[in-house]
Amino acid sequence: MSATTWHRLGTKDELLARVPFAIKIERHRIAVFLHEGRFTAISDICNHKGGPLSEGRVRGEFVMCPWHGWEYSVLTGKGPTGYDEEQVPVFAVEERADGVYVSIPPVMPRKLIKHKPSHLLEEHAKTPGAPPRVLFLSTTAMDEGNPRFSTSDALLEHALGRAKELKVDTQLIKLRQLNFKHCEGNYSKASHACTWPCAITERDPEDQLTAVYEGLVHWADVVLISTPIRWGNASSLYYKMVERLNCVQNQVTIHNKVLIMNKVAAFIITGGQDNIQAVAGSMFTFWSELGFLFPPFAFIAHSRGWDAEDMQNNVRQVKASEALREASRELVERAVEFWKILDRDNAMMGMMEKPMERAGRKANPLVMPEEVEV
């Protein structure tokens, strides 16, 4: 057992001007609080994902982790009633004539309860020789009680019909039918606060974006995403979804862990206004950063242009166009055939599974060259 050592934190007045604050002593990161006129100290590291408790909001004797909301008593280190089997280390504090001291090691250890891991962390093995799996994602917002014709949905449905003719497994997800929360901006707090699985899905079993996570990361081999153009951009539901998908991309950033491998994506983009290439470029960038690959001619699109605000004619044109219907069918064929080529080419599959060179990639630190005299 380690011998107890006391470390001076400062005078009482100095601490009163700082609390709550964190300090590192030896290997311990300690959070210091003031509760009812008395200084207390617990570990600064949350049991959940390591969030800084000293930066959390204090209510009564409990501090809430600023990352994902886990709570701990600043007196006992335990969680609130019902969660009090969890505990962060507690450190003894003494006020002396010459200042305030904290002792090392902690008087109460960390207690971690083994929680059942999210099914999103489990292996989802696909049966060898099983047909390709194609996920269709509609991002059109609509009042289901008062539906209208959606050109992007219509072309996605034609692609879905062709996929069924190809005898592949299919799944259709309409984002408007899912009840899911906006991204809470955990990445803005710290890169490591944006976790996989998403902290929202961990905390809220009613959040229905889990179906999208499951489909993209584990189920699908091919994904077709459709979106209308809204004010020169993809739909608001599309952006609501991709903000929540940051937790997938962020695994590359913070752990060099690629969750999406050897999967193919393609897009359907329609709208009354013209900004197709910019919308497609943005989508290519995002989905490639997740790890998706693209077949030749990986999107189809339709727009009547900037000066064509007669949306009823846009709908009429899409309804009447056999060429667009055929294009949607050919798009899914190209995507599926491209995935089959990847699946057959073991050399390519092996290459894609090698560790990725990070130089030039997001969040890759470059070693600064030594200054040279000129």
Side-chain angles (χ1 to χ4, degrees):
M1 186 173 180
S2 302
T4 298
T5 58
W6 289 89
H7 300 261
R8 186 175 181 274
L9 299 176
T11 67
K12 181 177 180 178
D13 288 342
E14 287 172 343
L15 268 59
L16 287 173
R18 295 175 61 194
V19 287
F21 66 88
I23 187 170
K24 187 172 182 180
I25 301 176
E26 297 176 5
R27 61 183 181 83
H28 301 281
R29 206 172 82 206
I30 301 171
V32 180
F33 299 91
L34 183 71
H35 178 71
E36 296 182 351
R38 167 189 160 203
F39 292 108
T40 65
I42 61 174
S43 172
D44 191 44
I45 301 171
C46 177
N47 278 358
H48 180 222
K49 299 293 181 180
L53 297 181
S54 59
E55 298 176 20
R57 186 169 60 248
V58 179
R59 291 180 177 174
E61 73 172 271
F62 291 95
V63 59
M64 178 183 291
C65 179
W67 285 8
H68 307 119
W70 285 40
E71 293 183 287
Y72 304 92
S73 168
V74 300
L75 301 174
T76 67
K78 294 182 178 182
T81 302
Y83 302 90
D84 49 2
E85 291 184 27
E86 289 269 2
Q87 184 178 39
V88 294
V90 179
F91 299 85
V93 177
E94 284 187 5
E95 289 188 41
R96 302 177 183 175
D98 65 336
V100 181
Y101 287 74
V102 65
S103 71
I104 303 295
V107 292
M108 295 295 292
R110 189 181 300 274
K111 293 181 181 177
L112 291 167
I113 303 302
K114 189 173 183 179
H115 299 275
K116 182 180 179 180
S118 167
H119 76 282
L120 291 173
L121 292 172
E122 297 172 357
E123 292 295 326
H124 292 59
K126 182 182 176 183
T127 303
R133 298 169 173 176
V134 185
L135 174 64
F136 296 81
L137 267 175
S138 162
T139 70
T140 297
M142 190 184 303
D143 176 5
E144 295 286 359
N146 184 30
R148 55 175 173 77
F149 183 83
S150 165
T151 56
S152 59
D153 267 10
L155 295 181
L156 190 71
E157 292 281 357
H158 285 299
L160 174 60
R162 179 56 181 149
K164 291 178 178 178
E165 293 172 359
L166 296 173
K167 306 299 184 184
V168 302
D169 289 340
T170 62
Q171 184 182 164
L172 171 64
I173 295 180
K174 297 181 178 181
L175 288 185
R176 62 180 177 270
Q177 295 177 346
L178 302 183
N179 180 21
F180 64 99
K181 293 182 178 180
H182 288 276
C183 178
E184 295 175 344
N186 288 329
Y187 187 84
S188 299
K189 301 171 185 176
S191 61
H192 282 77
C194 181
T195 62
W196 173 256
C198 174
I200 297 173
T201 64
E202 283 194 318
R203 189 164 60 245
D204 183 4
E206 302 300 318
D207 185 84
Q208 294 178 336
L209 200 67
T210 305
V212 174
Y213 291 139
E214 178 79 31
L216 293 178
V217 175
H218 294 298
W219 187 80
D221 299 310
V222 176
V223 182
L224 258 67
I225 304 102
S226 70
T227 181
I229 294 177
R230 293 284 182 259
W231 293 103
N233 291 290
S235 77
S236 58
L237 270 181
Y238 170 81
Y239 283 107
K240 184 180 179 183
M241 172 185 69
V242 299
E243 287 178 2
R244 288 283 303 276
L245 292 179
N246 186 68
C247 64
V248 176
Q249 193 282 326
N250 193 42
Q251 287 295 295
V252 180
T253 300
I254 63 177
H255 294 305
N256 211 33
K257 182 179 182 181
V258 181
L259 298 177
I260 305 289
M261 298 192 71
N262 307 314
K263 295 175 181 283
V264 174
F267 312 126
I268 295 174
I269 305 166
T270 66
Q273 291 183 332
D274 185 20
N275 202 33
I276 288 168
Q277 288 174 312
V279 172
S282 174
M283 294 175 75
F284 274 121
T285 299
F286 181 79
W287 293 87
S288 68
E289 286 297 300
L290 291 185
F292 282 93
L293 305 173
F294 303 98
F297 310 107
F299 75 94
I300 63 168
H302 168 76
S303 169
R304 282 172 51 78
W306 170 255
D307 59 351
E309 289 291 331
D310 50 345
M311 291 304 298
Q312 69 279 9
N313 288 327
N314 184 56
V315 168
R316 188 177 298 121
Q317 193 173 45
V318 173
K319 283 183 175 180
S321 176
E322 176 58 32
L324 284 174
R325 290 192 287 274
E326 182 60 25
S328 67
R329 292 191 285 265
E330 290 178 354
L331 179 66
V332 72
E333 288 178 19
R334 286 196 299 276
V336 169
E337 286 305 311
F338 185 63
W339 180 84
K340 287 181 178 178
I341 292 170
L342 293 175
D343 191 43
R344 285 196 301 264
D345 191 341
N346 293 325
M348 171 65 79
M349 297 288 272
M351 182 188 75
M352 296 303 298
E353 291 171 1
K354 290 180 181 178
M356 177 177 60
E357 291 294 335
R358 289 300 301 278
R361 305 290 304 147
K362 180 180 178 183
N364 179 64
L366 293 180
V367 177
M368 294 299 292
E370 295 181 0
E371 293 185 6
V372 293
E373 294 183 6
V374 179

